[in-house]
Amino acid sequence: MTTAIETIDAVAEAAARRRAAIRRYTRHPGFMIGAIGILLLVMVAVAAPWLAPHSPTRTDLMNTLARPSATFWLGTDQFGRCVASRLIHGAQVSLQVGFFVVLISLSAGTIIGAVAGYAGGWLERALVAVIDILLAFPSFLLALALVAARGNTLDSIILAVAIAYTPRVAAVMRSVVLTIRPRPFIEASRAIGLTPWTIVLRHVIPNALPPVIVVATVSAATAILAEAGLSFLGLGVQPPTPTWGNVIAEGQTAITTNPLISLSAGLCIAYTVVVLNLLGDGLRDTLDPQMRRNTGKLL
Amino acid sequence: MVFYIARCAGQFAVALVGIVTVAFFLMRAIPGDPALYMLGDFATPEALATLRARLGLDLPVWQQYGIFLARALQGDLGMSVVTGEPALAEILASVPSSASLAVAGMAIAIAVGVPLGVIAAVRQGSVVDVAVMLIALLGISFPVFWVGITAILLLSHALGLFPALGATSEPGFWKGLHHLALPALVLGLSVAAYIARLTRSAMLEVLGQDHIRVARAMGVPEWRIVWKLALRNALVPVLAVIGVTFAWSLGNAILVEAVFSRPGLGSTILKAVLARDYQLLQAGVLVLAAAVVLLNTVLDLLYGAIDPRLRQQ
Amino acid sequence: MSAAFELRGLTAAVPGEKRAIRLVEDVSLSVHAGETLAVVGESGSGKTVTFTSSLGLLPKPGRVIAGEALLEGVDLLKLRPEELRRTRGARIGMVFQDPLTGLNPVFRVSEQITEVLRAHLPISRSAARDRAVELLTRVQIPEAARRVDDYPHQFSGGMRQRVLTAMAIALGPRVLIADEPTTALDVTVQAQMLDLLGDLRDADGMAMVLITHDLGVVARQADRVAVMYAGRIVETGTVAEVFAAPRHPYTISLFRSIPDIEAPTGTRLTPIAGSPPDPARRPEGCAFAPRCFAVSDAAGCRSVRPLLAGVGHAASCHRQSMLETTA
């Protein structure tokens, strides 16, 4: 009898806690704007073939650098391609880069960082030294050199940017793990004889995830900026495939006749980066207020 | 203090060996054959073999590494394939232009970012704070090359305030500065946004500390508390981020140089990439990494000057 | 003789979910030149808030909503910010609890003392530095002239508290508020620190407020005592009166909870059950009622807020008369 009531109470309490947590998110304006903003963008990217009024690659040399009109919302570029359609399709490249770079650099960086923070001894010192040295290489330059060596397909760009930004994630992960290592439950796990690998995978990484999730959203933004930069330099996904970066580059040559091309592509990038940063800041505030300090310093 | 300086110098030397080592293995670890990369896909097997032998690629990896390290420490980073000149010399020739851009950009970033961050922290939650944080968010969100293009469009084409070209062959310090101004501003503002965000959070933390409450209780004027007593504490984490953002802004400098057609490390590296000049690219990467390490060493010395506790350890 | 420092009905609050949460409520006390008033209570009872808010140092969004804080007859709460700043540190000094965090880690001690002196006086840097050495000597820091240019981390906790005291008395204040000045220090250093404060008070004829939770300190150092509980003063009087015949159940419980060297062996200590109420959820009636051994519904303990009653030695308890007859 009492146990049944206690169970009901416990369930009710858990539900109340969950509601409180959800409210914490829904009441955070930055988080909501960021979450809705990124959702919209994903929808645009997925629905690009249907949303875009024209083919993003069809040229029309009779209608170059047209002014914005009802048919060509943002006008056309110097090859007569519809700028709006190119931007809508460009979202696909940016989002893929953001998503996969985070996936790769986060998995690799989390494991490397967790081991570097937990291992102790020579392994820790060696990993920390390598991470520190890698941090000295400007990430964008590293990505550029890697792309130069591997060619500029989408895969190799994603891999290059991911490799270039992994040390950063590893560094954050390690600093977080260092704060977890002395906690009693880790000591307890060790006392009951769990192997270091089990402790890292089951206890260290899950407890370090909140700050890493924040870093993930922010590094998605950084990755998108890096891809745009590579595209702008002509080292990204090659034209005619539209990317926001190469739209800006192509628009630059026609900047005085139709500044709208470069301007609107830049706004697309900025929109994406802003919503990702808002999402990241929102997560930082809501996941764990204490975390502000851990991640605040690493951009 | 002398001991502290010596230790920083020692760390600098170790880090240099470190970046050479990491660069070597990173370049070997990525798939792809440098010889094939340099000669292109249609190279004959004989030509490839000759080039491999010339680059020492036919030796065992450890031997290659030994030779590479020994040469690198003597300042020999190989020859540019395109020009036949020593790669390091060619890279170093473009350093002054990039260094002036990076230094000017950093100076603008600090001069703008630190005060804005302090003001936002002091007026936490006010309209000023929200505005500064919003501008900072936009500052880190727009791609730097786009900001450059837009700045050219507005300030050069429309208003005619600055030249659209980021460099000039005309002699004269002021002429050069006039051409440097816009690229430096563009490079600096994105970094300023980061610095402002960080200064704000560092200041908020310091302003909540006991010694600030003590200073208030002693009647120290608020402006002295903020701009002297609190700021010097907040500068330690800010300096740390300046080290991180410097590496980041060197990456951005490549883009800014491209936008403003300004010669420098960025354009040299870009040229190396497009010409598949492997040795030149490698030298460029190493020199930039060395610059970051050098800056971090200088920052370590500055920490020691700011925070006496660090000198002692 | 008028009081050097006097609080009248001070009430400070922070905005709450529905209404303002009162951190301290209707606090009145006074302290005269050359005298030490001890303010006693558990942590969270509002001792510190009382004095930080009277100096205008309550962190936002907290604020004083009623009352006066009179320094030699002038209400500090009515001063303009700049006037208040000139008063703070110059005419009323404060020493805080934790000497380890109270000094700025990146400035030399000489720079920090100079900063205080130059905030109030038009003196040169070198004159300020000379004065800093004198002050450090006054608070009995050995080799003051050599140590004045050291950084805080080069001093021990006790020495840092002396430095902070030197800063607090640098401009010869009329009133010195010492907020648990010895809590963070080693037991061996505590007595030295308290003696130093007593000597400084006597030498300058300052009025001193000693905030503490240590009744031993009260007995040794103070002339009068005010006991605080849940943001209010529940008992006040001379140390002799209160120690001889405590009237508030909280004060009585406090005495029972500390070891007494003269008590017969085998006497048990009685800790006070429960913990002080959350300021946002103070009970109606007497705030101490839930923990009180003498609580009575008939006397109105749970419904009517008791007022401080009595001349000189006063207590706020509905059951005072009963307690007096049984005590």
Side-chain angles (χ1 to χ4, degrees), chain B residues 37-226:
Chain B
Y37 166 69
M38 279 156 57
L39 294 177
D41 294 337
F42 305 107
T44 60
E46 295 77 40
L48 283 174
T50 321
L51 185 60
R52 280 209 193 97
R54 209 179 85 209
L55 295 174
L57 293 173
D58 48 355
L59 298 172
V61 168
W62 285 105
Q63 217 170 326
Q64 284 185 43
Y65 169 65
I67 294 169
F68 182 73
L69 184 63
R71 285 195 183 151
L73 294 182
Q74 292 163 26
D76 175 6
L77 294 176
M79 300 289 168
S80 160
V81 183
V82 177
T83 59
E85 299 287 312
L88 184 62
E90 194 159 335
I91 291 294
L92 289 181
S94 51
V95 161
S97 166
S98 287
S100 53
L101 175 62
V103 168
M106 240 20 208
I108 292 172
I110 294 168
V112 174
V114 170
L116 280 184
V118 170
I119 291 166
V122 171
R123 304 284 215 78
Q124 190 195 5
S126 72
V127 181
V128 181
D129 180 24
V130 173
V132 168
M133 284 300 98
L134 201 67
I135 293 169
L137 178 61
L138 292 178
I140 59 173
S141 298
F142 281 97
V144 67
F145 53 93
W146 181 85
V147 176
I149 293 170
T150 313
I152 291 176
L153 192 64
L154 290 177
L155 300 179
S156 303
H157 291 325
L159 299 176
L161 290 177
F162 296 99
L165 283 180
T168 171
S169 50
E170 288 175 63
F173 176 75
W174 294 110
K175 265 267 184 276
L177 201 63
H178 192 212
H179 282 264
L180 175 65
L182 203 52
L185 202 64
V186 168
L187 185 63
L189 286 185
S190 55
V191 182
Y194 271 112
I195 293 181
R197 278 166 74 107
L198 189 90
T199 305
R200 176 177 178 272
S201 70
M203 279 297 282
L204 282 178
E205 194 174 328
V206 174
L207 285 173
Q209 283 170 356
D210 275 359
H211 56 85
I212 296 300
R213 188 173 63 152
V214 169
R216 288 208 177 101
M218 305 288 176
V220 177
E222 196 61 27
W223 65 271
R224 300 279 295 177
I225 291 178
V226 170

Side-chain angles (χ1 to χ4, degrees), chain A residues 224-245:
Chain A
I224 287 170
L225 282 174
E227 184 275 329
L230 289 174
S231 266
F232 175 74
L233 292 177
L235 296 169
V237 177
Q238 291 302 295
T241 307
T243 71
W244 291 338

Side-chain angles (χ1 to χ4, degrees), chain A residues 130 133-138 140-142 144-146 148-150 168 222 225 228-229 232-233 235 245 248 252 255-256 259 262-263 265-267 269-270 273-274 277-278 281 284 293 296-297 299, chain B residues 18-19 22-23 26-27 30-31 37 137-138 140-143 145-146 149-150 153 157 194 197-198 205 237 241 244-245 247 250-251 254-255 258-259 269-270 273-274 281 284-285 288-289 292-293:
Chain A
V130 172
I133 289 165
L134 280 172
L135 284 175
F137 291 90
F140 181 71
L141 178 69
L142 209 53
L144 191 147
L146 294 173
R150 282 184 46 94
R168 212 153 290 262
T222 324
L225 282 174
F232 175 74
L233 292 177
L235 296 169
I248 294 181
Q252 195 192 2
I255 193 89
T256 42
S262 285
L263 289 182
L267 285 174
I269 299 173
V273 175
V274 165
N277 275 319
L278 284 176
D281 285 356
R284 183 181 329 206
R293 243 192 254 159
K297 283 177 188 160
L299 313 183
Chain B
I19 55 174
V22 167
L26 204 67
M27 290 301 210
I30 52 175
Y37 166 69
L137 178 61
L138 292 178
I140 59 173
S141 298
F142 281 97
F145 53 93
W146 181 85
I149 293 170
T150 313
L153 192 64
H157 291 325
Y194 271 112
R197 278 166 74 107
L198 189 90
E205 194 174 328
V241 132
V244 176
T245 48
L250 283 179
I254 300 175
L255 292 162
V259 170
I269 287 173
L270 211 57
V273 168
L274 298 175
L281 175 61
V285 171
L288 278 179
V292 173
V293 171

Side-chain angles (χ1 to χ4, degrees), chain B residues 122 209-222 224-225 228-230 232-233 236 305-309 311-312, chain C residues 48 52 57 85 88-89 92 94 96 98 101-108 111 115-116 119-120 125 151 153-154 164 167-168:
Chain B
V122 171
Q209 283 170 356
D210 275 359
H211 56 85
I212 296 300
R213 188 173 63 152
V214 169
R216 288 208 177 101
M218 305 288 176
V220 177
E222 196 61 27
R224 300 279 295 177
I225 291 178
K228 182 178 177 187
L229 302 179
R232 197 188 285 185
N233 280 277
V236 174
I306 289 179
D307 193 336
R309 288 167 298 184
R311 284 202 291 266
Q312 291 225 318
Chain C
T48 303
T52 47
L57 291 173
R85 177 192 74 73
R88 272 199 310 252
I92 181 163
M94 192 155 177
F96 292 94
D98 190 353
T101 54
L103 286 166
N104 197 321
V106 301
F107 287 91
R108 295 171 196 281
E111 293 172 299
E115 195 67 36
V116 173
H120 301 282
R125 268 177 210 287
Y151 286 95
H153 71 271
Q154 293 164 297
L164 284 161
M167 286 163 73

Side-chain angles (χ1 to χ4, degrees), chain A residues 24 50 175 287:
Chain A
R24 239 189 6 249
W50 298 280
S175 71
L287 277 176

Side-chain angles (χ1 to χ4, degrees), chain C residues 218-231:
Chain C
V218 177
R220 241 165 56 105
Q221 301 287 329
D223 302 300
R224 287 189 304 118
V225 58
V227 181
M228 285 192 76
Y229 184 80

